[in-house]
Amino acid sequence: QVQLVESGGGLVQAGGSLRLSCAASGRTFRRYVVGWFRQAPGKEREFVASISWSDGRTSYVDSVKGRFTISRDNAKNTGYLQMNSLKPEDTALYYCAADSRWFASDESEPDYWGQGTQVTVSS
């Protein structure tokens, strides 16, 4: 069992930065793929980024490539999403997710989810 708790969301102006954190419980965290999804009001949930546990492989949705960076610190049982050059269209509730299997699409259904942290980008 893995429990995930996100933090780091907030209100920022366009062009600004935020770093989201995903703190995980469970000693096997290092063996899970960690990722982020987001959902804006009235829109479908969208895959944002993921990182493997073994070789550091990453995947990003095209709209955040070059602006967002996903990382993890297995010693701290924590995953991160560094978000730079934020745009109003990045406004959403951001969820951390984890699974023993690789995931990298909107249709993915990771086994474990956090409660979400709100990111609001003003123009």
Side-chain angles (χ1 to χ4, degrees):
Q1 190 77 7
V2 175
Q3 292 185 324
L4 305 173
V5 178
E6 304 96 334
S7 62
L11 173 64
V12 64
Q13 289 188 331
S17 299
L18 285 174
R19 187 176 81 157
L20 305 184
S21 298
C22 175
S25 64
R27 292 181 294 177
T28 59
F29 173 76
R30 65 183 65 235
R31 296 191 176 276
Y32 283 83
V33 177
V34 177
W36 294 87
F37 292 77
R38 64 187 180 185
Q39 188 165 20
K43 294 188 176 181
E44 297 291 317
R45 187 187 69 194
E46 177 184 39
F47 166 79
V48 177
S50 58
I51 183 168
S52 72
W53 65 269
S54 56
D55 57 6
R57 174 173 47 146
T58 59
S59 181
Y60 297 91
V61 66
D62 285 347
S63 61
V64 308
K65 286 180 179 177
R67 300 189 298 122
F68 291 11
T69 302
I70 190 170
S71 63
R72 64 190 297 163
D73 185 337
N74 289 335
K76 295 182 178 180
N77 274 11
T78 302
Y80 303 98
L81 185 68
Q82 178 67 44
M83 305 186 296
N84 298 329
S85 302
L86 282 162
K87 304 175 181 180
E89 51 263 44
D90 294 318
T91 295
L93 187 61
Y94 283 70
Y95 296 93
C96 176
D99 198 298
S100 58
R101 303 158 296 176
W102 177 249
F103 60 88
S105 71
D106 296 345
E107 294 74 30
S108 300
E109 290 291 346
D111 286 341
Y112 304 103
W113 293 84
Q115 294 299 307
T117 185
Q118 179 67 38
V119 172
T120 303
V121 184
S122 63
S123 57

